[in-house]
């Protein structure tokens, strides 16, 4: 599978589960596995959760 951002090859393990985060080795973008049916995998952009310092 290729990165939706930069089209680099993403290595997704066969035992990866829905909800896991996959990072692109080239551009550093993070994606969450949103759907997995056999070798058919769908990714969505991972939500970044910022630190809440009590502000």
């Amino acid at each position: 599978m290729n990165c939706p951002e930069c089209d680099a090859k993403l290595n997704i393990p066969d035992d990866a589960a829905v909800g896991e985060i996959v990072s692109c080795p080239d551009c550093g973008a993070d994606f969450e596995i949103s759907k997995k049916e056999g070798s058919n995998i769908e990714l969505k952009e991972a939500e970044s959760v910022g630190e809440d310092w009590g502000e």
Side-chain angles (χ1 to χ4, degrees):
M1 168 165 249
N2 290 349
C3 174
E5 289 289 322
C6 71
D7 208 38
K9 178 132 177 71
L10 293 176
N11 293 320
I12 301 173
D14 291 335
D15 62 349
V18 171
E20 281 191 45
I21 303 297
V22 177
S23 295
C24 176
D26 283 7
C27 70
D30 290 328
F31 300 97
E32 181 179 340
I33 298 173
S34 60
K35 189 176 180 183
K36 184 177 182 194
E37 295 173 356
S39 62
N40 186 18
I41 296 173
E42 287 184 22
L43 299 176
K44 67 178 183 179
E45 196 167 324
E47 295 179 27
S48 59
V49 178
E51 292 285 334
D52 181 3
W53 297 98
E55 297 176 11

